[in-house]
Amino acid sequence: MKNKWLRAALPALLIHGSIGTVYAWSVFKQAIADNIGQSVPSVEWAFSIAILFLGLSAAVLGPFVERDIKKSAMLSTAFFVVGMVGTGISIQQKSLVGIYIFYGVIMGIGLGIGYLTPVKNLMLWFKDNKGLGTGLAVAGFGLSKMIFSPIMMSLQKSAGLWQMFVILSVIFALMMLSGALLIRKPANWHEKPLKNRFSPMILIKNTNFIGIWLMFYLNITAGLAIISQEKDILSGLHNDSGSAVFSVAAIATIVSIDAFFNAAGRIGFATFSDRLRDRNTIYRIIFAMSLMMSLAAFFLPDASRLMPIVLVMTFFLINAGYGGGFSALPPLLADRFGMQAISKIHGVALTAWAAAGLSGNQLASFIVHGLKMPYQNVFIAIAVLYAIAYIIATWVVRPQQTLIQ
């Protein structure tokens, strides 16, 4: 197992550290809208389309990833890099449709393939600590925003917006190609063909899988709903004298620290799940923690001296639980359905991410802009979602195995 860091962990960080920059969308969405003369809501659809195609491509191309992780790593690189270059050219040409196609569809496909590729390999190399293995992979996805956001802002100022995408495409191509060259399954693992042809219908008819899909979807929807409003909620908090509690610099710092908690949650919760008799317990912990923090943020009076602290801790812990939900998913699926077809199963489960990518932001937007309610009302909405997710994790997702071989 001496090569597990070189053949599994490092390639995962290189690949996920590149594609994870999709979460830095907020760094340049306003600049894109201004540059091409479109509204931010119109441009925002590019991100939603990218997450949609991430989930769809993961579901459709799971069997391809299962067969050859080196080829899937190369294909992911090709789609992601072409998507980045095409986005830059589309911005230069002021084409909103081009941004939808290249950033949304093409780059989204690269995201889906790249997200799946290292996961099974890590669980094979870290077979006694599957949670730690997957946590390492998706931690790169979470940390990417923190690392590349300042780089993106600097490149926008020094080189220009569309040039930023072209420059970064070269950097990501080198990182992802290095990951593709390094990645390799353990020598003692031999892929065996499934006894029966894999069909997603097997999962759709399985109560355990439906429960896992739903709680994964609810965690992402709730997380995106509140994370998307974080800056506005912090900006809207004022003290008795009417002054803003958080300065612009303080808000920027809090948002940056969020990325750390997101990544820490991905490693911490998944690693802790390795020590639990039933790995699904980690989801109940995440949902209970997020529920309590959401309720505290909603019911605590705005004038309370504790409100700033509670708000910040709520954002940090929800980000941690949001990230932990991603890393704990593959080992939980492996526990319930076995390792033989895990990339296929994980790919189908990621359709929940595709659906949540559309509903999370829209839920917050509907509450704030549609119903004309204060931002804080998003907290009570997501509290309901976390409560439902906790019920599903407790009563629907059971310990029974349904091995797919």
Side-chain angles (χ1 to χ4, degrees):
M1 293 307 235
K2 61 182 180 180
N3 289 326
K4 64 183 178 181
W5 300 104
L6 182 65
R7 296 302 185 183
L10 181 57
L13 289 172
L14 288 169
I15 294 170
H16 275 212
S18 300
I19 65 176
T21 51
V22 69
Y23 274 151
W25 168 255
S26 62
V27 172
F28 48 77
K29 67 177 182 180
Q30 182 68 59
I32 292 177
D34 294 341
N35 189 282
I36 68 174
Q38 297 285 342
S39 66
V40 172
S42 296
V43 171
E44 197 86 69
W45 277 104
F47 177 80
S48 296
I49 294 170
I51 300 301
L52 173 65
F53 273 84
L54 183 160
L56 295 178
S57 63
V60 172
L61 295 172
F64 172 75
V65 175
E66 196 82 52
R67 286 194 300 270
D68 195 321
I69 55 172
K70 278 192 173 291
K71 287 183 179 178
S72 67
M74 295 292 288
L75 188 63
S76 170
T77 303
F79 272 98
F80 189 75
V81 171
V82 168
M84 289 287 291
V85 173
T87 300
I89 294 173
S90 297
I91 293 170
Q92 196 269 338
Q93 294 295 316
K94 302 188 185 302
S95 172
L96 181 61
V97 174
I99 295 170
Y100 288 163
I101 293 172
F102 284 102
Y103 192 93
V105 178
I106 296 176
M107 206 174 87
I109 294 172
L111 288 170
I113 304 170
Y115 190 87
L116 270 187
T117 296
V119 174
K120 178 175 180 177
N121 191 49
L122 279 158
M123 289 195 289
L124 293 175
W125 282 100
F126 290 79
K127 61 182 181 180
D128 296 324
N129 302 98
K130 293 185 178 70
L132 171 61
T134 58
L136 288 171
V138 297
F141 204 93
L143 280 173
S144 183
K145 175 184 176 182
M146 184 170 69
I147 295 170
F148 279 99
S149 288
I151 295 173
M152 288 176 168
M153 288 187 285
S154 177
L155 284 174
Q156 284 183 59
K157 293 179 180 178
S158 60
L161 180 62
W162 75 266
Q163 294 92 333
M164 175 196 76
F165 282 93
V166 177
I167 294 170
L168 287 176
S169 70
V170 176
I171 296 172
F172 295 147
L174 293 173
M175 289 174 60
M176 295 179 75
L177 286 173
S178 298
L181 291 172
L182 289 172
I183 197 167
R184 183 180 299 171
K185 291 181 180 178
N188 60 356
W189 173 264
H190 301 286
E191 293 289 347
K192 299 177 183 178
L194 295 175
K195 295 177 182 178
N196 301 304
R197 183 176 177 274
F198 177 82
S199 171
M201 292 305 297
I202 298 172
L203 301 175
I204 295 172
K205 294 177 180 178
N206 185 281
T207 304
N208 251 348
F209 182 82
I210 292 172
I212 292 171
W213 191 99
L214 285 172
M215 67 184 194
F216 185 52
Y217 164 78
L218 289 169
N219 190 47
I220 301 173
T221 297
L224 286 177
I226 200 62
I227 291 168
S228 67
Q229 303 301 317
E230 183 173 7
K231 182 179 178 182
D232 294 310
I233 292 173
L234 292 172
S235 300
L237 192 64
H238 294 78
N239 56 29
D240 294 336
S241 63
S243 303
V245 173
F246 296 101
S247 65
V248 174
I251 293 173
T253 301
I254 291 168
V255 172
S256 178
I257 297 173
D258 273 345
F260 169 79
F261 273 86
N262 190 308
R266 290 169 189 256
I267 295 177
F269 282 115
T271 303
F272 183 47
S273 74
D274 286 331
R275 302 176 179 274
L276 301 173
R277 180 178 299 177
D278 180 9
R279 202 181 294 270
N280 186 47
T281 303
I282 205 67
Y283 278 100
R284 292 197 288 271
I285 294 172
I286 289 172
F287 298 146
M289 174 190 74
S290 302
L291 172 61
M292 288 188 293
M293 295 308 300
S294 301
L295 291 174
F298 178 75
F299 285 110
L300 193 67
D302 288 353
S304 172
R305 294 182 179 180
L306 291 176
M307 178 54 92
I309 298 172
V310 170
L311 269 183
V312 172
M313 291 308 301
T314 299
F315 289 131
F316 287 167
L317 293 179
I318 284 179
N319 267 278
Y322 176 84
F326 281 97
S327 58
L329 178 66
L332 175 60
L333 291 170
D335 283 357
R336 295 300 191 269
F337 302 101
M339 283 290 295
Q340 197 65 35
I342 190 61
S343 294
K344 300 181 180 73
I345 299 165
H346 188 202
V348 176
L350 288 178
T351 57
W353 192 1
L358 296 175
S359 62
N361 288 353
Q362 296 303 317
L363 171 64
S365 179
F366 174 71
I367 292 171
V368 175
H369 301 293
L371 299 177
K372 306 295 182 183
M373 299 175 75
Y375 288 108
Q376 284 81 354
N377 284 276
V378 179
F379 283 115
I380 195 64
I382 67 170
V384 173
L385 297 184
Y386 284 128
I388 295 171
Y390 184 87
I391 292 170
I392 292 172
T394 304
W395 300 105
V396 179
V397 180
R398 311 304 295 169
Q400 291 89 352
Q401 283 189 324
T402 305
L403 296 181
I404 297 178
Q405 298 177 320

